[in-house]
Amino acid sequence: MDSQLFARALGIIGPGTLRRAELSRRLRAIQPAPGIAFDSRDGKITPTSQQQDEAHNDGAGDLRAHQAGMNCIAIDRFEGRYLISGGAEASIKIWDLEHSENTQQKYINHPTAVAKKSASSHQYGITHLCFYPFDSLAFISSSFDHKLKVYATETMTASATFDLDSVVYSHSLSPIADHLLVACATQHSAVRLVDLRSGACTHSLAGHQRSVLSVAWSPHEEYILASGSSDGTVRLWDIRRSANSLGVLDLEDSVGIVGEDGLGKNSRSRDHGKAHTDAVNGVVWTDDGKYLVTAGHDERVRVWDMSTGANALSHFGPIIKNTHLSTLLPLLAPSETLEAGKQIMFYPNEKEILMFDLFDGTLLKRLRLP
């Protein structure tokens, strides 16, 4: 770091380069913070230092964010301060992360608000949560009770409910689009689109042969959507077209469909092929939209060059585990925190988080509680 500060003082590197280098250093130095705990018991009073020590040393096993287990989490993208969590017991909780920023001290975090199981809330376990992309005062939830709900963050009350008549495994709202369409992955073989403006399920995208487990809107093309299914396929969609499907990704293809310009122009779509040899329960884009990352029950993570649809042949070894039907989304570090051409993936493995270089598959770190 000192050498970079010196280089910045001499004008050898710019402030953007220095910032990126420092953010990359911090990202690679990430460590577990065992002193910070989340307790689901009601009450906003922070325990004294002595009470915290007793809780951590004598009763740490009794501290649970959700008594029946946690299925999903999301953090607001504006302040990075609020976390929402969804439990297997159908409750949704909001946590204020600001008080636990000092990772060197022990701290027990209590929920600031809770939406418990009720007639107006979800009846079964929460499957997926996401904040509204333009305003953290609202978030969207889905559940095993077949419902998609829109909640007001301040009051924790549902302002809209959509019954999709099948289990909703995950959903996605575009971070850039004005159309406000929520793509839903359900037990049904078609991707369902819910319009938040009209309050209706506008139409379905048919093409998969079995349940859809994961969906993700492109971060750069507002009408482009990717979906993964239990039939092993990953499909690309353009919702403006009458024949919505743009084709599928094929794990055997490391060249891609190059077209007239080498980037797929005027090329024919691929209608056959599988991205994984088993169910695909994770689909996520890099923030520049150039690559798609998919995770499957074949215990493989694959990276795809989305300019041609080619398999980038990244290999992460036999350490990857993925056997649950629930959606499993790898977390990709923001590109502004890394050197140009680099990308880091955090993978939620069994009892640990694996940190990989996305393109060469190198295992950088294993994050697990001591």
Side-chain angles (χ1 to χ4, degrees), residues 169-197:
Y169 294 113
S170 69
H171 58 269
S172 177
L173 187 59
S174 173
I176 60 170
D178 294 327
H179 53 58
L180 294 183
L181 293 175
V182 183
C184 299
T186 74
Q187 244 175 343
H188 195 272
S189 60
V191 178
R192 305 287 297 277
L193 297 180
V194 174
D195 190 341
L196 295 184
R197 280 203 177 97

Side-chain angles (χ1 to χ4, degrees), residues 60-140:
D62 296 327
L63 299 179
R64 296 187 180 186
H66 290 266
Q67 292 301 315
M70 187 187 303
N71 290 345
C72 51
I73 61 173
I75 298 177
D76 81 275
R77 58 182 295 186
F78 297 96
E79 297 180 82
R81 174 177 176 177
Y82 295 104
L83 178 147
I84 49 177
S85 61
E89 80 288 1
S91 71
I92 301 174
K93 301 180 181 182
I94 297 183
W95 312 82
D96 188 345
L97 302 179
E98 188 175 65
H99 301 299
S100 54
E101 287 184 344
N102 188 347
T103 59
Q104 302 303 314
Q105 296 181 356
K106 294 180 179 179
Y107 184 83
I108 300 176
N109 208 325
H110 295 283
T112 60
V114 180
K116 297 181 179 179
K117 178 180 177 180
S118 68
S120 60
S121 300
H122 288 295
Q123 300 298 304
Y124 300 115
I126 310 301
T127 57
H128 193 203
L129 294 166
C130 74
F131 276 100
Y132 191 75
F134 308 114
D135 187 355
S136 60
L137 293 179
F139 66 88
I140 302 174

Side-chain angles (χ1 to χ4, degrees), residues 109-278:
N109 208 325
H110 295 283
T112 60
V114 180
K116 297 181 179 179
K117 178 180 177 180
S118 68
S120 60
S121 300
H122 288 295
Q123 300 298 304
Y124 300 115
I126 310 301
T127 57
H128 193 203
L129 294 166
C130 74
F131 276 100
Y132 191 75
F134 308 114
D135 187 355
S136 60
L137 293 179
F139 66 88
I140 302 174
S141 65
S142 56
S143 167
F144 287 107
D145 63 8
H146 303 183
K147 304 291 196 305
L148 180 81
K149 291 180 178 288
V150 180
Y151 276 88
T153 306
E154 291 183 334
T155 62
M156 292 298 284
T157 56
S159 57
T161 299
F162 304 89
D163 189 344
L164 300 182
D165 297 320
S166 59
V167 172
V168 186
Y169 294 113
S170 69
H171 58 269
S172 177
L173 187 59
S174 173
I176 60 170
D178 294 327
H179 53 58
L180 294 183
L181 293 175
V182 183
C184 299
T186 74
Q187 244 175 343
H188 195 272
S189 60
V191 178
R192 305 287 297 277
L193 297 180
V194 174
D195 190 341
L196 295 184
R197 280 203 177 97
S198 67
C201 297
T202 56
H203 59 288
S204 300
L205 306 177
H208 290 295
Q209 301 302 309
R210 298 176 64 185
S211 302
V212 183
L213 301 179
S214 184
V215 287
W217 290 100
S218 166
H220 276 256
E221 301 290 339
E222 61 179 321
Y223 297 105
I224 302 300
L225 177 73
S227 62
S229 167
S230 54
D231 63 12
T233 62
V234 171
R235 283 191 174 271
L236 281 301
W237 312 86
D238 185 339
I239 62 170
R240 298 168 297 182
R241 296 172 40 153
S242 56
N244 302 112
S245 180
L246 296 175
V248 299
L249 299 177
D250 185 0
L251 65 89
E252 302 291 343
D253 184 4
S254 60
V255 177
I257 302 175
V258 295
E260 296 174 358
D261 60 352
L263 297 175
K265 181 180 179 182
N266 294 331
S267 60
R268 296 182 62 184
S269 64
R270 183 193 296 111
D271 297 321
H272 303 284
K274 290 191 175 184
H276 292 262
T277 58
D278 210 331

